[in-house]
Amino acid sequence: MAAILDRRTATAAPAAESILVTADDRLAEAVLPVAAAAGHPLRRIDHAPDAAATWQRAPVVLVGPDLAADCVALDFPPRDHIVVCTTVTWLGNDPTDASVLWPMAFRLQATGVIALPAADDWLLDLLTRTVRDTEPAPVIAAVAGHGGAGASTIALAAASGAARDGRRTVLIDLDRTGGGIDAAAGLASQPGWRWPSLAEGSGLLEPERLLDGLPRRGGLHVVGPDPRNPADVPADVFDQVLRAARIAADLVVVDLPRARTDAAVRAVTAARSVAVAIGPGDRSWEAARSVTAAYGLYNAHLGAVLRGDARARPAGFTWDGPREADWAEPPVWGALPTDRRLPVLLRQGRVPRGRLARAVHDLTAELSRERPRRGLACTGATR
């Protein structure tokens, strides 16, 4: 039950600590740990009149249902970033029904109505982005159109190039059939969290703590599998990692599996673009049909990236898209030449120069470019 009203995007730069206006101890016990995890200063006010001094200058105002009517009666001036905040327990015990929140929320001109702990992630995201004065980092993804197409190389090259340019980058490996992106990056022996460790965690995942715990080299941070436990990544675990990565980093790159999983669908839905790697041979385009059918439903922004001697789409070839999506024939977004030095350079933490470097840079820029939303059947994340 997160952001039922959600009329505006809350990204205001914090000038002071935010406030929680409630006398409900259980609500305070639910909210304060979330604020602490976000690194967001939050002061509790348990008498509505005492909120007058900070009502206008607090970055975010959280109001409990117990004092919402008092705040309305005091005729506090309208402002951005007011959230009526309650608990699932309170909703269950409210004999007058949760609909009592709606009139109060509208009279307060609230930007959201949430219930904790169901909305913990939403509130953590709001408080973290507000204290950082930032928008979530863009997400780009790569998937092999067929076996051996080199999508992992595209993902690693894009992430390494972005990190070299000074952008904090998180590279997420969802392809458990591969050799592990951390091995390709030369970080297999480095200690740090892999998917099984992240799946075993409990509570909210603090963005900086995530980046500090991952295998990394410079600005490149890697979320990869454990070869001893190559299980699929649970979608809810991926959601937590992606949310934290988008807050703490400047770019998130996802290496997708060819076979669709729930976590991969979440990644594709969040991505600005999805690069489908195509190798040499006309049959490579035929093989890519199953991938576009699997992921095109969740993101209309798919495009081909040619590897090696791969040619542009053969004459007469139609790259099928799902009927449910607003589908347009996918473009060719770029080419990444075959170079035997590239895997070695990336494993050593180096990036190519010359023509190959320009190809990587141009491809990353194209994939990261903001694109207008189209009429997708399934959407759900800010791109």
Side-chain angles (χ1 to χ4, degrees):
M1 183 182 171
I4 294 173
L5 303 181
D6 199 18
R7 296 196 302 264
R8 294 178 283 269
T9 302
T11 54
E17 62 187 357
S18 292
I19 57 174
L20 168 64
V21 185
T22 184
D24 185 343
D25 291 338
R26 287 180 296 182
L27 177 58
E29 290 170 0
V31 171
L32 294 175
V34 178
H40 191 118
L42 183 68
R43 179 163 64 93
R44 178 184 175 186
I45 296 175
D46 52 15
H47 293 90
D50 295 339
T54 53
W55 184 268
Q56 283 292 83
R57 71 171 185 263
V60 177
V61 174
L62 305 177
V63 181
D66 58 312
L67 296 184
D70 292 346
C71 291
V72 171
L74 289 166
D75 197 25
F76 287 145
R79 50 152 295 154
D80 289 339
H81 319 320
I82 300 174
V83 179
V84 175
C85 186
T86 187
T87 64
V88 172
T89 302
W90 184 90
L91 292 177
N93 293 334
D94 178 22
T96 62
D97 191 336
S99 61
V100 70
L101 296 179
W102 288 90
M104 289 190 295
F106 281 112
R107 293 175 70 186
L108 278 172
Q109 299 187 42
T111 57
V113 176
I114 63 173
L116 305 178
D120 278 358
D121 286 349
W122 185 90
L123 182 59
L124 180 65
D125 178 72
L126 168 68
L127 295 178
T128 305
R129 286 192 291 114
T130 303
V131 80
R132 289 170 177 267
D133 188 24
T134 186
E135 287 291 334
V139 179
I140 62 177
V143 62
H146 54 87
S152 296
T153 300
I154 292 174
L156 178 55
S160 299
R164 175 199 58 186
D165 293 340
R167 302 168 71 183
R168 298 179 83 186
T169 304
V170 178
L171 175 58
I172 299 178
D173 186 0
L174 290 179
D175 186 6
R176 67 185 183 93
T177 63
I181 207 76
D182 54 351
L187 298 175
S189 62
Q190 187 176 123
W193 292 332
R194 269 75 179 177
W195 280 121
S197 301
L198 292 166
E200 292 172 0
S202 59
L204 297 169
L205 187 56
E206 202 279 325
E208 289 296 338
R209 185 166 175 260
L210 170 67
L211 264 59
D212 288 343
L214 296 176
R216 65 188 184 275
R217 179 191 291 118
L220 176 64
H221 303 72
V222 176
V223 183
D226 184 340
R228 298 165 297 181
N229 184 15
D232 282 336
V233 178
D236 59 338
V237 175
F238 173 78
D239 283 342
Q240 283 266 7
V241 170
L242 181 64
R243 180 202 56 77
R246 296 188 72 186
I247 291 172
D250 301 308
L251 177 69
V252 178
V253 183
V254 184
D255 184 18
L256 297 168
R258 293 188 66 218
R260 190 174 65 195
T261 65
D262 290 343
V265 166
R266 305 287 179 88
V268 170
T269 302
R272 285 186 174 178
S273 54
V274 180
V276 181
I278 304 290
D282 291 351
R283 295 188 63 185
S284 299
W285 290 89
E286 293 286 346
R289 290 181 187 271
S290 62
V291 172
T292 59
Y295 289 126
L297 176 62
Y298 303 94
N299 194 324
H301 299 302
L302 273 70
V305 176
L306 308 180
R307 296 299 319 281
D309 298 326
R311 297 183 299 165
R313 187 163 42 249
F317 178 84
T318 300
W319 202 357
D320 293 340
R323 295 179 181 177
E324 297 88 345
D326 181 11
W327 183 261
E329 190 76 3
V332 175
W333 278 336
L336 195 61
T338 298
D339 190 321
R340 286 179 294 181
R341 299 172 301 161
L342 183 57
V344 176
L345 290 173
L346 295 175
R347 193 174 300 113
Q348 294 173 348
R350 301 161 60 195
V351 292
R353 297 181 179 181
R355 183 170 67 101
L356 189 56
R358 289 192 297 273
V360 172
H361 181 273
D362 292 347
L363 177 60
T364 305
E366 177 63 28
L367 295 175
S368 303
R369 181 171 60 86
E370 189 168 2
R371 291 175 165 83
R373 287 177 179 265
R374 293 192 280 188
L376 303 183
C378 298
T379 59
T382 303
R383 292 189 189 147

